[in-house]
């Protein structure tokens, strides 16, 4: 209806036409400027199950890995913050690739993540990933490659099972 594809960006203030019933938003309650006022965002973050669903933008590397590793959290942020946030969430991290782990590169503006599917050595792995070289689908784009020679430092997040 709006001439947009799944890869287009919707910006704040954009108006979209959709089918279905109309929705009247409830009145917004004004909160006083109180230093002790607590946002309900923290409650939503803490109490939202992360063992299903995928809140990452479709086609991005974080979305691709969350599709392949549903145990990954919806709240780990940009790819370059995944290892530290996973560690804070109780996941083990390290520098040895393991099949089923998540590879996290910290270089660039946002970093990159991929799902490890095969390991020959620390310097020869295969992965499934999205948004590698602007490819939005999940695929093995590189065959075997050296993860230490790509986009900064690499860290692995290990599943808790």
């Amino acid at each position: 209806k709006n001439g947009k594809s799944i890869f287009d960006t919707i910006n704040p203030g954009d108006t979209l036409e959709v089918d279905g019933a109309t929705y009247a938003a409830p009145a917004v309650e004004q909160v006083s400027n109180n230093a002790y006022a607590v946002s309900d965002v923290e409650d939503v973050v803490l109490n939202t199950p992360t063992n299903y669903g995928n809140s990452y933008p479709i086609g991005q590397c974080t979305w691709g890995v969350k599709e392949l590793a549903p145990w990954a959290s919806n709240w780990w942020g940009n790819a370059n913050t995944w290892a530290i946030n996973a560690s804070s969430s109780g996941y083990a991290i390290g520098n040895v690739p393991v099949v089923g782990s998540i590879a996290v590169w910290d270089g660039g503006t946002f970093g990159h993540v991929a799902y490890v599917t095969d390991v020959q050595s620390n310097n020869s792995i295969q992965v499934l990933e999205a948004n590698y070289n602007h490819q939005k689908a999940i695929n093995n784009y590189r065959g075997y490659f050296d993860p230490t020679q790509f986009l900064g430092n690499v860290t692995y997040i290990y599943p808790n099972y």
Side-chain angles (χ1 to χ4, degrees):
K1 285 196 146 202
N2 299 282
K4 292 187 177 287
S5 77
I6 197 164
F7 302 108
D8 290 327
T9 301
I10 300 172
N11 295 305
D14 285 356
T15 301
L16 299 176
E17 185 178 334
V18 296
D19 290 328
T22 59
Y23 172 75
V28 176
E29 180 182 331
Q30 295 297 319
V31 177
S32 66
N33 188 8
N34 181 339
Y36 298 102
V38 176
S39 165
D40 65 349
V41 173
E42 289 84 4
D43 185 57
V44 171
V45 170
L46 292 175
N47 294 306
T48 299
T50 57
N51 60 345
Y52 63 90
N54 189 339
S55 65
Y56 294 103
I58 294 173
Q60 296 300 312
C61 62
T62 48
W63 165 82
V65 169
K66 176 68 175 162
E67 288 292 297
L68 297 166
W71 53 267
S73 173
N74 276 314
W75 306 106
W76 286 346
N78 291 325
N80 57 2
T81 64
W82 273 39
I84 189 76
N85 289 330
S87 178
S88 295
S89 300
Y91 288 86
I93 61 172
N95 59 4
V96 177
V98 174
V99 171
S101 65
I102 299 170
V104 180
W105 290 274
D106 63 2
T109 304
F110 303 109
H112 188 72
V113 290
Y115 184 77
V116 179
T117 58
D118 199 20
V119 177
Q120 288 183 324
S121 70
N122 286 359
N123 300 100
S124 183
I125 68 171
Q126 288 195 45
V127 298
L128 288 173
E129 61 196 322
N131 204 21
Y132 174 74
N133 202 21
H134 306 290
Q135 301 292 322
K136 301 297 184 179
I138 300 169
N139 207 335
N140 178 347
Y141 294 103
R142 301 189 259 185
Y144 284 101
F145 71 101
D146 184 348
T148 65
Q149 302 299 311
F150 175 72
L151 202 61
N153 299 312
V154 63
T155 305
Y156 298 93
I157 305 170
Y158 307 112
N160 284 344
Y161 52 75

